[in-house]
Amino acid sequence: MATTPEQGPLTGVRVVELAGIGPGPFAAMLLADLGADVVRVDRPGGTGLAIDTAYDITNRNKRSVIVDLKSPDGPARVLDLAARADILIEGNRPGVAERLGVGPEACHARNPKLVYGRMTGWGQDGPLADRAGHDIAYIALTGTLGMIGSPDEPPAVPANLVGDYAGGSLYLVVGVLAALHHARATGTGQVVDAAIVDGTSHLAAMIHGMLAAGGWQDRRGANLLDGGCPYYGTYETADGTYMAVGALEPQFYAEFLRLLGIEEHADARKDWSRWGELREAVAARFKSRTRDEWTAVFEGSDACVAPVLSLREAPHHPHLAARGTFTDHGGITQPAPAPRFSATPTAVRTGPAQPGADTADVARDWDVPDLMKGAGTDGPATKGLA
C-alpha cells in the first residue's frame, strides 16, 4: 500500500493487530485513520462479529492477512510481522498470547523496540484478570454505570461507548503512542497494559475530585451534570422527540429562560428548593412545541440548547454536514477520521479490510515471504476479551 504525507501523521508506522472484536479493532482503526499501516491478523473462520464484514467500518484503512496461530508455523508468521512492526495490539485474556507463542517475550526477542499493546477489560493482573466480561460489567465495577440515568430507574446503559471505546480503545491508543515515542528515543520497547476498568475509572477523575470536595452526591440524578439539574438535561417535545439543555453559566441560563418564555424563574438557578418547580415549568414549555419548532427558536443563540438527533439524522445536521463530520465511503455513511491535522490530513482511504484479502501485498511490502503459508481453516474464533 503506497503511502503519502497526506495519509495522516502516523504514515510510516507499522501496526500488527491480532484480530478480536470491540475495543482492540477500534483502537487499531484509529491508528489506521491517522495513517499507520495496520495489518490485521485474522483467524480462519473469522472473529464472530455478527455483521457482514463489508460493513465493519472498524476495519477500514487496514489490510488483512489470515494466520492460523494454532498451526505449527502460525506463530512464526506473526513473529515475522512483529519483527518489522512498531506496534502490536492484542486483546486476549492474560496468558493466551503467551500460550500461542506470540506474547511480549517472544515478540521482543525478535524486535526489542516493539510496543506491545494489551487490550483487556480487567487488566493483566488482579483477582478478576482471568474472568470473562463485557463493557457493562467493567463500567459497573468502576462506579461509572451507577452514575448514569434517572434516580428512580435502573442505571441507563450507554451502549459500549464509555467502557470499550472511551475507557479502553482511546487509552490504548494514547498508551501505545506514548510508548512509541519512548521506543524511538531510547530504542527500548515495552508492554502497555490498557484495562477498561483503569481507563473508565480515569475518565471520572473530575467527578472523584468533586465527590471528595463535597460537590457531588454519590447517587444518580442529584448533581449538576447527571440530570439532577433542571437546566442540564433532556426534555420531551410535542412530537415525542427531545431537546438537550446545557445552560449552566448565568448568561446562558438567562438566555435559555428568555427564549423558553419563563423568565419569572430566573432566581431558581441556585435555589435547589425550587428546582422541582423549575423542572416542571421547563418540561411544560418544551411539550408545547415540536422539536423542530424549538430548534428554530434557539437557533443562533447562546442558550446551549440542541435537538437530540438519531444516528441517521446526525449526518444531515447543517453544522456536521458543513464540517464533514460524517463521510460516505463505499456506500456506507460513517464518521470521518478525527481529530483533524493542518499538515497531515486524514481520510477514509479504503473500506473494511476483508479477511485474508491482502496477504500477498503485505507479504511483499513487509518482506515476509513465508506469510502466505500462515493461513488455516479452523472454525470461528471467540471474542478476545471474553
Side-chain angles (χ1 to χ4, degrees):
M1 181 171 62
T3 58
T4 67
E6 289 70 31
Q7 287 189 315
L10 294 186
T11 296
V13 173
R14 286 180 168 179
V15 178
V16 175
E17 174 199 351
L18 302 188
I21 63 174
F26 186 87
M29 180 202 75
L30 181 49
L31 295 172
D33 283 354
L34 298 180
D37 182 6
V38 176
V39 171
R40 177 179 168 94
V41 179
D42 277 302
R43 311 166 194 178
T47 58
L49 186 61
I51 65 169
D52 186 333
T53 56
Y55 292 91
D56 185 1
I57 62 174
T58 62
N59 286 327
R60 71 187 186 190
N61 288 338
K62 303 177 184 179
R63 299 193 283 180
S64 170
V65 302
I66 291 180
V67 175
D68 182 4
L69 278 169
K70 295 182 179 179
S71 69
D73 61 350
R77 302 293 76 78
V78 171
L79 293 176
D80 286 343
L81 290 169
R84 294 157 174 79
D86 299 290
I87 297 168
L88 182 145
I89 290 175
E90 64 95 13
N92 298 290
R93 293 198 211 191
V96 171
E98 285 84 349
R99 291 196 294 273
L100 291 171
V102 293
E105 186 175 351
C107 288
H108 283 142
R110 294 287 304 274
N111 180 1
K113 295 182 179 181
L114 182 71
V115 172
Y116 195 104
R118 315 200 81 165
M119 180 77 264
T120 61
W122 305 116
Q124 295 300 309
D125 53 46
L128 296 178
D130 293 327
R131 289 271 299 276
H134 282 289
D135 173 289
I136 194 169
Y138 310 139
I139 67 174
L141 206 68
T142 64
T144 312
L145 179 62
M147 294 194 303
I148 305 172
S150 301
D152 55 349
E153 296 178 359
V157 180
N160 67 331
L161 302 178
V162 174
D164 278 355
Y165 295 147
S169 305
L170 298 187
Y171 278 86
L172 177 62
V173 168
V174 169
V176 297
L177 292 181
L180 178 61
H181 174 75
H182 174 266
R184 289 185 166 180
T186 66
T188 303
Q190 61 182 300
V191 176
V192 177
D193 176 4
I196 293 172
V197 291
D198 295 346
T200 304
S201 297
H202 193 266
L203 286 172
M206 183 190 76
I207 305 298
H208 280 281
M210 295 174 69
L211 183 67
W216 189 275
Q217 299 184 61
D218 198 12
R219 55 192 179 90
R220 287 193 305 284
N223 300 284
L224 192 66
L225 303 175
D226 67 354
C229 173
Y231 45 92
Y232 195 90
T234 56
Y235 291 91
E236 187 176 2
T237 57
D239 56 345
T241 54
Y242 294 85
M243 297 293 290
V245 178
L248 293 176
E249 291 80 1
Q251 67 275 28
F252 303 151
Y253 177 74
E255 180 77 348
F256 167 62
L257 294 188
R258 183 182 69 81
L259 292 173
L260 201 60
I262 55 170
E263 293 174 277
E264 66 273 16
H265 291 278
D267 293 338
R269 179 174 171 271
K270 288 190 174 182
D271 186 351
W272 289 15
S273 67
R274 296 181 58 190
W275 275 13
E277 67 179 69
L278 175 59
R279 185 183 304 280
E280 290 180 4
V282 172
R285 287 295 294 146
F286 273 120
K287 282 285 285 184
S288 69
R289 299 184 187 181
T290 67
R291 186 187 67 179
D292 288 348
E293 288 173 331
W294 282 119
T295 299
V297 168
F298 288 101
E299 184 74 26
S301 78
D302 277 342
C304 300
V305 176
V308 178
L309 303 182
S310 72
L311 291 174
R312 293 191 185 278
E313 289 175 318
H316 304 290
H317 186 275
H319 179 78
L320 303 185
R323 281 185 58 80
T325 299
F326 291 85
T327 187
D328 291 302
H329 189 280
I332 303 174
T333 299
Q334 56 195 280
R340 305 181 186 202
F341 300 85
S342 61
T344 54
T346 58
V348 178
R349 305 182 302 277
T350 62
Q354 297 304 293
D358 308 293
T359 303
D361 289 341
V362 173
R364 180 194 67 237
D365 296 346
W366 284 42
D367 191 22
V368 187
D370 288 342
L371 188 61
M372 300 296 291
K373 305 175 183 178
T377 58
D378 284 358
T382 56
K383 182 179 180 183
L385 292 182

